[in-house]
């Protein structure tokens, strides 16, 4: 009987603390939720080694009023650095080519560390390069964004308009 009173008292004491759960700490706004839905990632592998990691965010679905005159992306790219004399590989150098449904980008703009567009992509770290990319409008519902290197291979990320 004594044990049941102690258990009942403990249950009542701890039940008052359960108003907020762990999942309440993970609430995100609608724009961030859409960004996570639109994030795609892939890797270029050669002989079981990662040569590049490519993550993109399709901006037209996140803010259709702002991004409507073309196909817009924010990209995060990590390049393996084999050459110790080269500090950073650029997206358009070393044989890399970026296409959307087979067509080249009309704008590839590197994003600085404080650029607000960089904060749109949920992938953030110091060793990636970040880009704002624009393509001419594409007809049809499917988009195939491809990063290709003539020596190491390619990665393709697919989106629906």
């Amino acid at each position: 009987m004594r044990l049941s009173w102690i258990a009942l008292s403990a249950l009542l004491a701890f039940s008052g603390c359960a108003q907020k759960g762990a999942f309440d700490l993970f609430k995100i706004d609608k724009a961030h939720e859409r960004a996570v839905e639109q994030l795609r990632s892939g890797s270029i592998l050669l002989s079981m080694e990662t040569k590049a990691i490519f993550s993109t965010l399709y901006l037209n679905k996140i803010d259709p009023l702002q991004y409507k005159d073309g196909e817009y992306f924010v990209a995060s790219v990590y390049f393996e650095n084999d050459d110790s004399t080269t500090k950073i590989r650029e997206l358009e150098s070393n044989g890399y080519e970026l296409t959307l449904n087979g067509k080249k980008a009309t704008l590839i703009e590197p994003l600085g560390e404080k650029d607000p567009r960089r904060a749109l992509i949920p992938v953030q770290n110091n060793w990636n390069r970040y880009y704002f990319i624009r393509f001419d409008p594409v007809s049809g519902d499917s988009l195939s964004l491809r990063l290709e290197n003539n020596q190491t291979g390619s990665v393709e990320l697919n989106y629906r308009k």
Side-chain angles (χ1 to χ4, degrees):
M1 179 78 174
R2 184 176 200 195
L3 182 60
S4 63
W5 281 107
I6 293 172
L8 181 62
S9 298
L11 181 65
L12 289 173
F14 288 118
S15 67
C17 300
Q19 291 176 358
K20 287 191 175 189
F23 290 109
D24 292 328
L25 300 174
F26 297 104
K27 295 203 187 276
I28 56 177
D29 61 357
K30 287 291 183 188
H32 187 74
E33 186 178 330
R34 285 191 302 263
V36 171
E37 286 176 356
Q38 292 301 312
L39 181 68
R40 306 284 190 276
S41 294
S43 301
I44 296 177
L45 300 172
L46 180 66
S47 300
M48 302 295 287
E49 291 182 20
T50 302
K51 298 298 180 182
I53 300 173
F54 187 48
S55 300
T56 61
L57 185 64
Y58 182 47
L59 295 175
N60 294 54
K61 286 239 179 161
I62 294 172
D63 191 352
L65 296 175
Q66 182 176 357
Y67 302 107
K68 59 185 174 191
D69 63 337
E71 310 300 339
Y72 291 89
F73 295 86
V74 171
S76 167
V77 187
Y78 163 78
F79 296 110
E80 178 196 41
N81 194 354
D82 291 333
D83 184 5
S84 60
T85 61
T86 305
K87 289 188 177 182
I88 297 174
R89 288 189 175 181
E90 293 295 333
L91 185 63
E92 296 175 301
S93 66
N94 300 308
Y96 285 96
E97 182 178 63
L98 183 63
T99 59
L100 181 67
N101 291 8
K103 297 185 179 179
K104 290 187 177 185
T106 56
L107 171 72
I108 299 177
E109 177 186 335
L111 297 178
E113 195 172 317
K114 302 213 187 276
D115 193 309
R117 294 174 294 185
R118 181 174 166 169
L120 294 171
I121 192 164
V123 177
Q124 297 289 325
N125 57 49
N126 294 332
W127 52 86
N128 283 3
R129 298 286 291 167
Y130 295 87
Y131 301 94
F132 178 73
I133 304 163
R134 182 197 183 276
F135 292 91
D136 286 333
V138 173
S139 60
D141 286 342
S142 63
L143 300 172
S144 176
L145 186 62
R146 184 179 183 91
L147 178 66
E148 187 170 11
N149 183 288
N150 56 7
Q151 295 176 355
T152 58
S154 66
V155 59
E156 189 171 308
L157 306 177
N158 296 305
Y159 289 92
R160 301 293 278 161
K161 285 177 119 180

